Amino acid sequence: MRLLCLTDSDPGEALPGLELLPHGVHTSPLGVRVPSSAAARFDLLLVDGVRDARRARGACLDLKRDCPTPRLLLISEAALPAVTPEWGISDVLLPTASPSEIDLRLRLARGDQRTEPAGSDSAAPSAISSAGVVIDEGNFTARVHDRTLDLTYKEFELLHFLVGHPGRVFTREQLLSEVWGTDYFGGTRTVDVHVRRLRAKLNEHETLISTVRGVGYGFARAREQDDE
C-alpha cells in the first residue's frame, strides 16, 4: 500500500508500529498543501497531529476541499475530544496502535478488507520516460540513463511533471500551481531553487531542463530552441 504521511517529523516517531509493516511510506511537510493530482497516486494519506492537533486540523480541512484520497489522522488520546466529522477523515490512529491494528485500519479506510495477493500488480502505476529519464510512479523513484536520482519529494514531483510534458515550456507560476498547489503562498523563487537542485542531481544531463528567457522552464527541448 502506498502511503503519504503529512508530518514535520519521522512517521516512525508518531506511529512506531508503522515501521514494522511493509507499506511504502513517503512524507511531505504538514504545512505544505498536497495537490490533488499528487495525492491521487497514493492509496491513503496520514495526517500527523500527535504533536500539533491544531495544525493537523488545518491540513485536514484543506485536504477535504478537493482531495478524494482517504485520510487517517494520527493523534494522541488526549486530543481525541477535539476531533469532529468536520475534519473529513476516515479514521484515527493512536501512537500506541499495534502493527496489526494499523494494518486493519488502513485496509478498512481504503475500502479493501482482503489481503493483497503477493506479487499482485493489477493496480500498479506505470512508468513514464523521456530523454533517458524514467519516472517510476509506483516506487516514487527517478532514474537518468539507469542512474537512480536521490530526490526529495518536491524534487520528484517537479521532475515528474516536467518529464510528463516534454518539449513544453511552463512559466514559474504554472509550475508553482501544478506542483505546489494553488494555495501555496511561497514565491516563484521556490521553483528556481528546485530547478537548480534538479540540474545538479542530473549532473551531465542538466541541460535536459532548459531555461527559456522571459518565460520559464522546459524539459527535453531541442537545443536550438533554448535560450541558454
Side-chain angles (χ1 to χ4, degrees), residues 44 69-73 88-92 108-110:
L44 294 170
T69 306
R71 301 169 293 281
L72 284 86
L73 174 68
I89 57 174
S90 301
D91 203 348
V92 298
L108 292 178
R110 194 181 64 170

Side-chain angles (χ1 to χ4, degrees), residues 48-113:
D48 181 7
V50 174
R51 293 185 177 181
D52 194 334
R54 180 174 298 181
R55 289 189 67 206
R57 177 181 179 274
C60 287
L61 295 180
D62 285 342
L63 291 166
K64 181 181 175 182
R65 289 203 299 266
D66 62 357
C67 178
T69 306
R71 301 169 293 281
L72 284 86
L73 174 68
L74 313 181
I75 197 165
S76 66
E77 187 171 2
L80 284 176
V83 182
T84 68
E86 176 194 24
W87 291 39
I89 57 174
S90 301
D91 203 348
V92 298
L93 279 166
L94 299 179
T96 55
S98 66
S100 58
E101 178 183 352
I102 295 171
D103 195 52
L104 172 62
R105 290 182 182 272
L106 292 178
R107 289 190 287 110
L108 292 178
R110 194 181 64 170
D112 182 4
Q113 300 186 37

Side-chain angles (χ1 to χ4, degrees), residues 8-36:
D8 291 328
S9 61
D10 186 333
E13 296 179 9
L15 192 63
L18 185 61
E19 294 187 323
L20 301 177
L21 296 171
H23 305 302
V25 182
H26 299 263
T27 62
S28 182
L30 183 60
V32 177
R33 182 181 178 276
V34 179
S36 57

